[in-house]
Amino acid sequence: MNCSLRCFCLTLLLACAGCAKDFPRPGGTCCGPVVAPDELDGPSVFRASLKAHGGDRLALLNDVAIALDGRWKFLIRRIQPLVTDFRYRVRSEERLLLADRLYAADYRGPGGRKQVLRQPQVAPDAATLVAYDGVASRDPDVRQSTALTADSFFLFTLGPLALAEHAAAFRLLGSRRERGRDYWLLHLDLVPGLGESAADEVVLWVDQETQRTHRVQITLEGYVTTQGANVDVTFRSFTERDGFLFPSAFFERVRAPIAIDAHAWCLTGLDINRGLTLADFDGGDWSGAAERPAASPDVEGACLD
């Protein structure tokens, strides 16, 4: 990081420190005391939200194919140029295999093409593959920052469907009212964490009326420049596909150590259950059913601001 950028970031941190929000945690003061009906606790609220997103049919969801279009805000591009990788991560085709937790992405932007294959369940040296314009990157910073964003986007794309195995571990923090709606806040200690982190924390905001997950808030311990930070992603709209509910418009904010808007993106295509397998991503190259672009006539891209 050059001197001018370091000075810029330091000035920004000092100016915005008072804006930072504490991460909601058990025993904290952000949400007030837990006042809920006797039958409600963290696992029951989470399971209700999971069901609202189609989680009672989760065993039938093999794979998800999406297309995205997004815009990065100016300050986050300056503060986190490698994590955002904003010259490449503009439009994308992305594929998720749920059982294997595989995430594959083909990004396009003014910088060119970036390809990502993330498989956290395999050996560490093969878990994250990254290539720029067809040339594999061996930079550990590229690998670690990409692992973090890949695992984060797996979670953002699926919402509570990505966390079903952790249902019993959620803790009810309390409620929060925002713009006339009431939300339950659920806390999860996620082990292992996102990317190469040993542990992270996740907070879900669950709409008390619809049971839909409205927002996901996460810590970012998996990369050196994001340690101590947390962000939230608000789901501004949803689309339904074969009984599953997917977020379709997203807005990301950095909440700490500063409070700034970061990223807006939206679905421009969505398919599920193409029958994808690990063989469709051998070596990072896509083949077979993975290659076809995601398309959907009822998902529009006019959600960016």
mmCIF file of all heavy atoms in Angstrom, residues 23-55:
data_model
loop_
_atom_site.group_PDB
_atom_site.id
_atom_site.type_symbol
_atom_site.label_atom_id
_atom_site.label_comp_id
_atom_site.label_asym_id
_atom_site.label_seq_id
_atom_site.Cartn_x
_atom_site.Cartn_y
_atom_site.Cartn_z
ATOM 1 N N PHE A 23 -20.852 -5.116 16.781
ATOM 2 C CA PHE A 23 -21.439 -6.336 16.242
ATOM 3 C C PHE A 23 -22.386 -6.921 17.287
ATOM 4 O O PHE A 23 -22.027 -7.059 18.454
ATOM 5 C CB PHE A 23 -20.337 -7.340 15.896
ATOM 6 C CG PHE A 23 -20.817 -8.486 15.080
ATOM 7 C CD1 PHE A 23 -20.865 -8.402 13.699
ATOM 8 C CD2 PHE A 23 -21.233 -9.667 15.683
ATOM 9 C CE1 PHE A 23 -21.315 -9.464 12.936
ATOM 10 C CE2 PHE A 23 -21.688 -10.735 14.928
ATOM 11 C CZ PHE A 23 -21.725 -10.636 13.550
ATOM 12 N N PRO A 24 -23.603 -7.288 16.896
ATOM 13 C CA PRO A 24 -24.550 -7.858 17.873
ATOM 14 C C PRO A 24 -24.046 -9.197 18.403
ATOM 15 O O PRO A 24 -23.764 -10.111 17.630
ATOM 16 C CB PRO A 24 -25.840 -8.032 17.054
ATOM 17 C CG PRO A 24 -25.667 -7.146 15.857
ATOM 18 C CD PRO A 24 -24.199 -7.146 15.560
ATOM 19 N N ARG A 25 -23.947 -9.310 19.729
ATOM 20 C CA ARG A 25 -23.442 -10.534 20.347
ATOM 21 C C ARG A 25 -24.260 -10.857 21.594
ATOM 22 O O ARG A 25 -24.846 -9.965 22.211
ATOM 23 C CB ARG A 25 -21.977 -10.372 20.741
ATOM 24 C CG ARG A 25 -21.012 -10.287 19.571
ATOM 25 C CD ARG A 25 -19.566 -10.226 20.033
ATOM 26 N NE ARG A 25 -18.646 -10.356 18.913
ATOM 27 C CZ ARG A 25 -18.135 -9.325 18.251
ATOM 28 N NH1 ARG A 25 -18.432 -8.090 18.616
ATOM 29 N NH2 ARG A 25 -17.310 -9.533 17.232
ATOM 30 N N PRO A 26 -24.256 -12.123 21.995
ATOM 31 C CA PRO A 26 -24.908 -12.474 23.261
ATOM 32 C C PRO A 26 -24.318 -11.690 24.414
ATOM 33 O O PRO A 26 -23.096 -11.539 24.513
ATOM 34 C CB PRO A 26 -24.608 -13.975 23.404
ATOM 35 C CG PRO A 26 -24.392 -14.445 22.008
ATOM 36 C CD PRO A 26 -23.739 -13.304 21.290
ATOM 37 N N GLY A 27 -25.177 -11.151 25.271
ATOM 38 C CA GLY A 27 -24.711 -10.349 26.388
ATOM 39 C C GLY A 27 -24.462 -8.906 26.056
ATOM 40 O O GLY A 27 -24.160 -8.101 26.943
ATOM 41 N N GLY A 28 -24.600 -8.533 24.774
ATOM 42 C CA GLY A 28 -24.405 -7.144 24.381
ATOM 43 C C GLY A 28 -25.637 -6.308 24.664
ATOM 44 O O GLY A 28 -26.652 -6.790 25.161
ATOM 45 N N THR A 29 -25.544 -5.035 24.316
ATOM 46 C CA THR A 29 -26.632 -4.093 24.604
ATOM 47 C C THR A 29 -27.333 -3.606 23.343
ATOM 48 O O THR A 29 -28.232 -2.785 23.434
ATOM 49 C CB THR A 29 -26.081 -2.880 25.363
ATOM 50 O OG1 THR A 29 -25.074 -2.238 24.567
ATOM 51 C CG2 THR A 29 -25.477 -3.313 26.689
ATOM 52 N N CYS A 30 -26.940 -4.145 22.180
ATOM 53 C CA CYS A 30 -27.459 -3.577 20.935
ATOM 54 C C CYS A 30 -28.946 -3.841 20.747
ATOM 55 O O CYS A 30 -29.620 -3.067 20.081
ATOM 56 C CB CYS A 30 -26.701 -4.134 19.739
ATOM 57 S SG CYS A 30 -27.128 -5.838 19.353
ATOM 58 N N CYS A 31 -29.443 -4.929 21.267
ATOM 59 C CA CYS A 31 -30.808 -5.348 20.941
ATOM 60 C C CYS A 31 -31.773 -5.240 22.108
ATOM 61 O O CYS A 31 -32.961 -5.507 21.950
ATOM 62 C CB CYS A 31 -30.804 -6.788 20.434
ATOM 63 S SG CYS A 31 -29.593 -7.089 19.151
ATOM 64 N N GLY A 32 -31.276 -4.907 23.267
ATOM 65 C CA GLY A 32 -32.135 -4.870 24.431
ATOM 66 C C GLY A 32 -32.396 -6.271 24.948
ATOM 67 O O GLY A 32 -31.942 -7.263 24.379
ATOM 68 N N PRO A 33 -33.127 -6.409 26.032
ATOM 69 C CA PRO A 33 -33.405 -7.732 26.596
ATOM 70 C C PRO A 33 -34.266 -8.562 25.654
ATOM 71 O O PRO A 33 -35.037 -8.028 24.865
ATOM 72 C CB PRO A 33 -34.148 -7.404 27.897
ATOM 73 C CG PRO A 33 -34.748 -6.052 27.663
ATOM 74 C CD PRO A 33 -33.769 -5.311 26.789
ATOM 75 N N VAL A 34 -34.104 -9.861 25.736
ATOM 76 C CA VAL A 34 -34.907 -10.756 24.908
ATOM 77 C C VAL A 34 -36.313 -10.827 25.479
ATOM 78 O O VAL A 34 -36.516 -11.295 26.596
ATOM 79 C CB VAL A 34 -34.284 -12.164 24.852
ATOM 80 C CG1 VAL A 34 -35.154 -13.093 24.017
ATOM 81 C CG2 VAL A 34 -32.873 -12.098 24.286
ATOM 82 N N VAL A 35 -37.272 -10.335 24.722
ATOM 83 C CA VAL A 35 -38.678 -10.413 25.107
ATOM 84 C C VAL A 35 -39.385 -11.151 23.982
ATOM 85 O O VAL A 35 -39.642 -10.596 22.922
ATOM 86 C CB VAL A 35 -39.295 -9.018 25.316
ATOM 87 C CG1 VAL A 35 -40.767 -9.154 25.711
ATOM 88 C CG2 VAL A 35 -38.517 -8.245 26.368
ATOM 89 N N ALA A 36 -39.650 -12.425 24.190
ATOM 90 C CA ALA A 36 -40.225 -13.250 23.141
ATOM 91 C C ALA A 36 -41.194 -14.236 23.764
ATOM 92 O O ALA A 36 -41.078 -14.586 24.941
ATOM 93 C CB ALA A 36 -39.113 -14.012 22.408
ATOM 94 N N PRO A 37 -42.171 -14.704 22.989
ATOM 95 C CA PRO A 37 -43.058 -15.761 23.501
ATOM 96 C C PRO A 37 -42.240 -16.952 23.979
ATOM 97 O O PRO A 37 -41.147 -17.228 23.472
ATOM 98 C CB PRO A 37 -43.906 -16.112 22.266
ATOM 99 C CG PRO A 37 -43.874 -14.881 21.408
ATOM 100 C CD PRO A 37 -42.515 -14.284 21.618
ATOM 101 N N ASP A 38 -42.778 -17.670 24.939
ATOM 102 C CA ASP A 38 -42.038 -18.770 25.566
ATOM 103 C C ASP A 38 -41.573 -19.815 24.562
ATOM 104 O O ASP A 38 -40.540 -20.461 24.754
ATOM 105 C CB ASP A 38 -42.894 -19.438 26.638
ATOM 106 C CG ASP A 38 -43.115 -18.535 27.847
ATOM 107 O OD1 ASP A 38 -42.328 -17.587 28.017
ATOM 108 O OD2 ASP A 38 -44.071 -18.792 28.598
ATOM 109 N N GLU A 39 -42.324 -20.007 23.494
ATOM 110 C CA GLU A 39 -41.982 -21.084 22.558
ATOM 111 C C GLU A 39 -40.872 -20.675 21.596
ATOM 112 O O GLU A 39 -40.414 -21.497 20.796
ATOM 113 C CB GLU A 39 -43.216 -21.521 21.766
ATOM 114 C CG GLU A 39 -43.749 -20.493 20.767
ATOM 115 C CD GLU A 39 -44.736 -19.512 21.409
ATOM 116 O OE1 GLU A 39 -44.799 -19.479 22.663
ATOM 117 O OE2 GLU A 39 -45.420 -18.802 20.654
ATOM 118 N N LEU A 40 -40.435 -19.422 21.635
ATOM 119 C CA LEU A 40 -39.414 -18.947 20.708
ATOM 120 C C LEU A 40 -38.040 -18.962 21.353
ATOM 121 O O LEU A 40 -37.851 -18.511 22.471
ATOM 122 C CB LEU A 40 -39.729 -17.531 20.229
ATOM 123 C CG LEU A 40 -40.922 -17.373 19.288
ATOM 124 C CD1 LEU A 40 -41.015 -15.935 18.800
ATOM 125 C CD2 LEU A 40 -40.810 -18.315 18.097
ATOM 126 N N ASP A 41 -37.080 -19.507 20.624
ATOM 127 C CA ASP A 41 -35.676 -19.406 20.975
ATOM 128 C C ASP A 41 -34.898 -19.360 19.670
ATOM 129 O O ASP A 41 -35.492 -19.345 18.578
ATOM 130 C CB ASP A 41 -35.225 -20.564 21.868
ATOM 131 C CG ASP A 41 -35.465 -21.933 21.247
ATOM 132 O OD1 ASP A 41 -35.745 -22.010 20.023
ATOM 133 O OD2 ASP A 41 -35.375 -22.935 21.975
ATOM 134 N N GLY A 42 -33.583 -19.320 19.749
ATOM 135 C CA GLY A 42 -32.789 -19.191 18.542
ATOM 136 C C GLY A 42 -33.058 -20.286 17.520
ATOM 137 O O GLY A 42 -33.356 -19.999 16.346
ATOM 138 N N PRO A 43 -32.983 -21.573 17.906
ATOM 139 C CA PRO A 43 -33.235 -22.634 16.925
ATOM 140 C C PRO A 43 -34.633 -22.581 16.309
ATOM 141 O O PRO A 43 -34.796 -22.820 15.106
ATOM 142 C CB PRO A 43 -33.027 -23.908 17.747
ATOM 143 C CG PRO A 43 -32.042 -23.506 18.797
ATOM 144 C CD PRO A 43 -32.441 -22.102 19.168
ATOM 145 N N SER A 44 -35.655 -22.260 17.117
ATOM 146 C CA SER A 44 -37.012 -22.262 16.567
ATOM 147 C C SER A 44 -37.215 -21.103 15.597
ATOM 148 O O SER A 44 -37.879 -21.268 14.564
ATOM 149 C CB SER A 44 -38.051 -22.216 17.690
ATOM 150 O OG SER A 44 -37.973 -21.005 18.424
ATOM 151 N N VAL A 45 -36.664 -19.933 15.903
ATOM 152 C CA VAL A 45 -36.785 -18.798 14.985
ATOM 153 C C VAL A 45 -36.028 -19.100 13.699
ATOM 154 O O VAL A 45 -36.508 -18.825 12.584
ATOM 155 C CB VAL A 45 -36.274 -17.502 15.632
ATOM 156 C CG1 VAL A 45 -36.243 -16.360 14.611
ATOM 157 C CG2 VAL A 45 -37.154 -17.118 16.816
ATOM 158 N N PHE A 46 -34.833 -19.675 13.820
ATOM 159 C CA PHE A 46 -34.070 -20.003 12.614
ATOM 160 C C PHE A 46 -34.815 -21.029 11.765
ATOM 161 O O PHE A 46 -34.902 -20.888 10.539
ATOM 162 C CB PHE A 46 -32.680 -20.534 12.957
ATOM 163 C CG PHE A 46 -31.945 -21.014 11.730
ATOM 164 C CD1 PHE A 46 -31.398 -20.099 10.851
ATOM 165 C CD2 PHE A 46 -31.867 -22.367 11.440
ATOM 166 C CE1 PHE A 46 -30.760 -20.532 9.682
ATOM 167 C CE2 PHE A 46 -31.239 -22.807 10.285
ATOM 168 C CZ PHE A 46 -30.677 -21.878 9.407
ATOM 169 N N ARG A 47 -35.356 -22.057 12.380
ATOM 170 C CA ARG A 47 -36.038 -23.091 11.607
ATOM 171 C C ARG A 47 -37.272 -22.524 10.903
ATOM 172 O O ARG A 47 -37.621 -22.958 9.797
ATOM 173 C CB ARG A 47 -36.404 -24.266 12.506
ATOM 174 C CG ARG A 47 -35.179 -25.074 12.950
ATOM 175 C CD ARG A 47 -35.563 -26.343 13.689
ATOM 176 N NE ARG A 47 -34.388 -27.128 14.063
ATOM 177 C CZ ARG A 47 -33.854 -27.158 15.288
ATOM 178 N NH1 ARG A 47 -34.421 -26.471 16.277
ATOM 179 N NH2 ARG A 47 -32.779 -27.879 15.526
ATOM 180 N N ALA A 48 -37.946 -21.556 11.526
ATOM 181 C CA ALA A 48 -39.092 -20.914 10.873
ATOM 182 C C ALA A 48 -38.633 -20.151 9.640
ATOM 183 O O ALA A 48 -39.295 -20.173 8.591
ATOM 184 C CB ALA A 48 -39.800 -19.985 11.850
ATOM 185 N N SER A 49 -37.492 -19.457 9.748
ATOM 186 C CA SER A 49 -36.974 -18.734 8.590
ATOM 187 C C SER A 49 -36.478 -19.698 7.520
ATOM 188 O O SER A 49 -36.696 -19.484 6.322
ATOM 189 C CB SER A 49 -35.844 -17.792 9.016
ATOM 190 O OG SER A 49 -35.456 -16.962 7.945
ATOM 191 N N LEU A 50 -35.819 -20.752 7.950
ATOM 192 C CA LEU A 50 -35.368 -21.764 6.998
ATOM 193 C C LEU A 50 -36.551 -22.310 6.203
ATOM 194 O O LEU A 50 -36.478 -22.453 4.969
ATOM 195 C CB LEU A 50 -34.666 -22.895 7.757
ATOM 196 C CG LEU A 50 -34.077 -24.034 6.940
ATOM 197 C CD1 LEU A 50 -32.942 -23.537 6.063
ATOM 198 C CD2 LEU A 50 -33.597 -25.151 7.863
ATOM 199 N N LYS A 51 -37.648 -22.604 6.880
ATOM 200 C CA LYS A 51 -38.836 -23.113 6.195
ATOM 201 C C LYS A 51 -39.401 -22.081 5.231
ATOM 202 O O LYS A 51 -39.830 -22.425 4.117
ATOM 203 C CB LYS A 51 -39.899 -23.510 7.227
ATOM 204 C CG LYS A 51 -41.150 -24.113 6.604
ATOM 205 C CD LYS A 51 -42.137 -24.570 7.668
ATOM 206 C CE LYS A 51 -43.386 -25.187 7.049
ATOM 207 N NZ LYS A 51 -44.351 -25.627 8.079
ATOM 208 N N ALA A 52 -39.392 -20.789 5.628
ATOM 209 C CA ALA A 52 -39.908 -19.735 4.759
ATOM 210 C C ALA A 52 -39.105 -19.624 3.468
ATOM 211 O O ALA A 52 -39.620 -19.161 2.443
ATOM 212 C CB ALA A 52 -39.898 -18.396 5.493
ATOM 213 N N HIS A 53 -37.854 -20.066 3.506
ATOM 214 C CA HIS A 53 -36.997 -20.020 2.316
ATOM 215 C C HIS A 53 -36.978 -21.363 1.575
ATOM 216 O O HIS A 53 -36.194 -21.521 0.631
ATOM 217 C CB HIS A 53 -35.573 -19.630 2.720
ATOM 218 C CG HIS A 53 -35.423 -18.183 3.069
ATOM 219 N ND1 HIS A 53 -34.789 -17.270 2.252
ATOM 220 C CD2 HIS A 53 -35.855 -17.479 4.150
ATOM 221 C CE1 HIS A 53 -34.803 -16.073 2.816
ATOM 222 N NE2 HIS A 53 -35.454 -16.175 3.975
ATOM 223 N N GLY A 54 -37.816 -22.299 1.992
ATOM 224 C CA GLY A 54 -37.893 -23.594 1.327
ATOM 225 C C GLY A 54 -37.044 -24.664 1.957
ATOM 226 O O GLY A 54 -36.822 -25.725 1.359
ATOM 227 N N GLY A 55 -36.574 -24.419 3.170
ATOM 228 C CA GLY A 55 -35.654 -25.333 3.800
ATOM 229 C C GLY A 55 -36.208 -26.711 4.103
ATOM 230 O O GLY A 55 -35.435 -27.661 4.270
#
